[in-house]
Amino acid sequence: MQEDRRQVSVLFVDIVDFTTYAERADPEQARGIQQTYFATVRRLVHQYGGVVEKYIGDAVMALFGAPVATDNDALRCVRAGLEIQRNLARQPAGPHPPLGFRVGIATGEALVDLAAARDGGQAFVTGDVVNTASRLQGLAPSGGVVVDESTWSATRHEMEYVDQPPVTLRGRSAVSRIWLALRARPQRELGTAELTPMVDRDHERGMLVSALHRTVTERTSQLVTVFGPAGVGKSRLLRELARHAASLPGPRVSWLVGQCPPFGENVTYAALADIVKSWVGVPEVVDVGALRDRLRQRLGGLSDPHAVRLTEALGPLIGVPGERLTSGETEAAWRRFLLTLAATGPTVLVFEDMHWADQAMLAFVEQLGAAARGVPLLVVATARPELRERHPAWTGTISGAMSISVPPMHDGDIDTLYSLLLGQATLPPAARAPLIEFADGNPLYAQEYARMLMDGGLLDAPAPRLDPAGATEMPRTVQAVIANRLDLLDAPDRAVLQAAAVVGVQFWAAPVAGALGRPVEWVERALDRLQRRDLVYEQSTSTMPGQSEYRFRHVLVRDVCYQRCPAPCRPSSPTGSTCWTRRTARCSRPPRWSAC
């Protein structure tokens, strides 16, 4: 399977009135402008994890969400569009008036040729979302970034927008709402207010609290890694721990957080840079000279004899040029700074999303944990299970290192969570049952389904009823999290899952092998790997004598796999494609795998 149907975000950027400019300018000058413009766009698209699909005259088309989907494709696309505008606005204009640029962004389903999903792949994405992005680009003001409703909906909590007058796009009959992107919301405005009390995490919270108390009372250092899939509640646990740390009597616990981003510029030590910036207190408007003085002042308060050396090492992390040191000298100075900081009082360093970290950052955190002795330092890292696959020996050689695995929540606790989110009397138990199954123990899934019901007004009716065509659609966030897991699989394993999805929620190796044109043994080896990744499992009994019967671990994984299959690979009447019971694996229709 070389093609996928998937949710993507498409970016179009174009030069305003470049034809008029080219008529007045020398050909060499026009070509130079184009080359600089193309290079800038290409660099920034790559920086934010996108792929340049093609150059069309003076327009550039880029894609976010392929070949690997993430849960923030739309956000990365909008951030890239704003960064492109900022960088292009700084380009020298030459003898002619400065050029303007327009950016349009749309999010939606497209057919993607995975074999061609690379820079300059040319026509590897097809769908109406491409036309929409192109037409939005034509509506954008010079210097502006205009997005469609799907992109706005996916990013409105992280980005600031201005609502624009509704428009009718060329070739459309319906009116479309559009928004002008302004800027990313400051991190402090995103807020950490909790929707509900924490449910079913007392054991994991207790382990973290115990580690914190030991660090504070015994002045000992510890390295704790909190593992769990996306949305299971790792960050919520740390917020609860931070509130507990703030309430402790005695010396104040310094709490510093850094995040390992999956994209961006200079990402290798981005989490450490976050920590240093937070400690220094970097203002929004940065004056390099004033910032250097502030860094020196803060370091002087630590009474470190190597403060000057630390200034040179820490400066580049916060945008202050310093003396060029070797990588070994720099990392040693960073570790010395963090250990000196902990020696002044209890300190918690949080490194979030370590599964995105480069090898250099992983090694730095491990070495920090190994070097910390006799200081009250608690280092907490959060990571998805992929970190264990990439780095099986993570923290294994560090004395006292501890790992906490956050499991899925029990159905009863998910039911409690829905009651807290929606209100105890809003939905009867029978109506909550499918929602509990959809959540599959993941509190993020439960929150997204609850939000979808509330945003869709489905709870306002006198007798709320779940509608398979409405309330049971998969929230975009949930779909993106599952899609990311699928894209991290090897291509053969992903193909087996997609073929199995056409068979049904339950499936057998033989029809999957027939669909793929592979031996049954080859499929069975892939299924063994998929079982270890907790995506499928073998059932104790089989309805087909002599053949092992497998089942998707969660029906939503099957749904995403099935939705990604191109239409020619789907049966003409897929198993339960329109019936509610398909999603709970109780569809009465037999599998129709032979139609694929």
Side-chain angles (χ1 to χ4, degrees):
M1 294 186 182
Q2 295 298 317
E3 293 183 333
D4 265 358
R5 294 169 65 102
R6 57 171 64 203
Q7 287 284 327
V8 296
S9 292
V10 178
L11 178 149
F12 264 88
V13 55
D14 193 15
I15 305 177
V16 179
D17 294 331
F18 184 72
T19 302
T20 303
Y21 171 84
E23 288 178 349
R24 300 193 309 265
D26 293 331
E28 293 82 1
Q29 189 176 40
R31 182 60 177 163
I33 289 287
Q34 268 191 319
Q35 288 178 332
T36 302
Y37 154 64
F38 288 152
T40 299
V41 173
R42 183 172 57 249
R43 174 177 62 82
L44 292 171
V45 166
H46 291 173
Q47 177 179 309
Y48 282 88
V51 179
V52 173
E53 205 241 24
K54 62 166 69 92
Y55 305 93
I56 314 164
D58 56 304
V60 183
M61 174 183 162
L63 182 72
F64 293 77
V68 177
T70 71
D71 50 1
N72 54 20
D73 291 326
L75 177 61
R76 291 187 290 118
C77 190
V78 178
R79 293 283 298 270
L82 290 172
E83 193 64 28
I84 286 170
Q85 288 287 25
R86 279 193 289 270
N87 276 260
L88 292 176
R90 294 198 294 262
Q91 299 285 348
H96 296 287
L99 294 172
F101 304 87
R102 294 186 296 248
V103 174
I105 294 172
T107 298
E109 189 177 59
L111 185 64
V112 179
D113 182 351
L114 296 179
R118 60 184 183 276
D119 189 41
Q122 292 293 323
F124 65 74
V125 56
T126 307
D128 186 59
V129 63
V130 177
N131 300 326
T132 302
S134 176
R135 288 162 186 166
L136 289 176
Q137 174 269 129
L139 295 171
S142 179
V145 177
V146 166
V147 308
D148 69 342
E149 187 162 10
S150 294
T151 306
W152 170 82
S153 177
T155 61
R156 59 195 175 100
H157 298 295
E158 295 83 14
M159 305 297 299
E160 292 183 10
Y161 289 100
V162 173
D163 199 351
Q164 301 293 288
V167 297
T168 301
L169 300 178
R170 181 165 53 88
R172 305 280 179 83
S173 57
V175 174
S176 301
R177 296 187 63 190
I178 62 174
W179 284 262
L180 179 67
L182 297 181
R183 64 186 69 85
R185 294 187 187 277
Q187 191 67 30
R188 62 177 180 272
E189 290 185 12
L190 297 181
T192 57
E194 309 298 350
L195 295 175
T196 65
M198 191 172 67
V199 178
D200 184 39
R201 290 292 183 248
D202 290 340
H203 176 66
E204 293 78 13
R205 182 179 182 274
M207 295 176 71
L208 287 170
V209 167
S210 295
L212 175 65
H213 285 188
R214 186 179 177 208
T215 295
V216 173
T217 59
E218 300 180 18
R219 292 184 62 84
T220 186
S221 59
Q222 296 177 91
L223 173 55
V224 180
T225 307
V226 182
F227 285 102
V232 80
K234 303 183 294 295
S235 296
R236 174 64 187 269
L237 272 171
L238 292 188
R239 292 196 296 271
E240 293 289 334
L241 183 65
R243 278 189 277 271
H244 181 79
S247 67
L248 290 178
R252 185 180 68 87
V253 177
S254 296
W255 186 280
L256 300 169
V257 180
Q259 188 165 30
C260 301
F263 60 87
E265 191 174 8
N266 300 322
V267 298
T268 300
Y269 295 108
L272 180 60
D274 287 344
I275 287 172
V276 175
K277 288 176 182 177
S278 178
W279 179 76
V280 173
V282 175
E284 292 186 6
V285 180
V286 178
D287 175 79
V288 174
L291 189 55
R292 183 189 297 274
D293 292 341
R294 182 171 179 80
L295 176 60
R296 287 174 175 166
Q297 179 186 4
R298 292 285 284 153
L299 289 172
L302 296 180
S303 301
D304 190 305
H306 304 285
V308 175
R309 198 69 164 170
L310 291 181
T311 302
E312 299 301 328
L314 295 174
L317 290 174
I318 61 175
V320 176
E323 179 186 344
R324 190 168 184 82
L325 306 175
T326 66
S327 59
E329 291 174 329
T330 301
E331 291 186 12
W334 291 343
R335 284 193 296 274
R336 186 169 62 247
F337 158 70
L338 295 174
L339 296 177
T340 303
L341 178 63
T344 64
T347 302
V348 179
L349 302 179
V350 178
F351 295 90
E352 291 213 70
D353 296 333
M354 286 293 285
H355 50 276
W356 297 123
D358 290 349
Q359 189 62 39
M361 187 68 201
L362 293 173
F364 177 82
V365 173
E366 281 190 311
Q367 291 167 11
L368 175 65
R373 292 288 185 273
V375 293
L377 175 64
L378 175 60
V379 179
V380 183
T382 67
R384 297 179 189 174
E386 294 92 272
L387 175 60
R388 281 178 167 148
E389 297 174 10
R390 285 177 49 208
H391 200 45
W394 168 253
T395 70
T397 61
I398 300 175
S399 176
M402 179 174 65
S403 294
I404 300 173
S405 293
V406 184
M409 293 170 65
H410 298 293
D411 285 353
D413 295 310
I414 289 291
D415 190 16
T416 300
L417 182 58
Y418 274 123
S419 296
L420 293 169
L421 291 166
L422 301 174
Q424 182 68 40
T426 302
L427 290 176
R432 286 202 301 271
L435 290 175
I436 293 170
E437 184 174 3
F438 291 165
D440 191 33
N442 190 305
L444 173 67
Y445 293 6
Q447 289 182 5
E448 291 300 317
Y449 273 106
R451 180 182 296 170
M452 183 181 64
L453 289 170
M454 291 185 288
D455 290 350
L458 299 172
L459 301 177
D460 297 335
R465 182 177 64 87
L466 297 178
D467 181 357
T472 61
E473 290 181 2
M474 197 183 310
R476 182 179 287 108
T477 304
V478 175
Q479 185 178 21
V481 169
I482 296 173
N484 178 251
R485 288 190 69 192
L486 299 179
D487 284 341
L488 295 176
L489 296 172
D490 292 335
D493 293 351
R494 189 166 58 246
V496 167
L497 271 187
Q498 287 186 265
V502 178
V503 178
V505 175
Q506 293 106 336
F507 59 93
W508 304 263
V512 174
L516 295 175
R518 291 281 190 169
V520 172
E521 295 77 12
W522 183 89
V523 172
E524 288 175 339
R525 288 194 296 272
L527 290 172
D528 287 341
R529 294 190 295 270
L530 293 169
Q531 284 193 86
R532 289 196 294 271
R533 284 182 172 258
D534 204 32
L535 291 167
V536 302
Y537 65 94
E538 184 178 350
Q539 301 200 109
S540 57
T541 60
S542 175
T543 55
M544 283 193 177
Q547 294 193 40
S548 296
E549 184 170 310
Y550 297 85
R551 179 186 173 93
F552 279 88
R553 178 65 65 180
H554 193 275
V555 70
L556 297 184
V557 175
R558 187 258 173 155
D559 283 356
V560 173
C561 290
Y562 185 85
Q563 290 165 8
R564 283 189 161 193
C565 291
C569 288
R570 303 184 189 185
S572 56
S573 178
T575 305
S577 61
T578 59
C579 69
W580 165 262
T581 51
R582 172 181 68 86
R583 295 183 176 273
T584 53
R586 291 189 291 272
C587 183
S588 59
R589 300 188 218 173
R592 293 180 51 117
W593 58 268
S594 58
C596 184

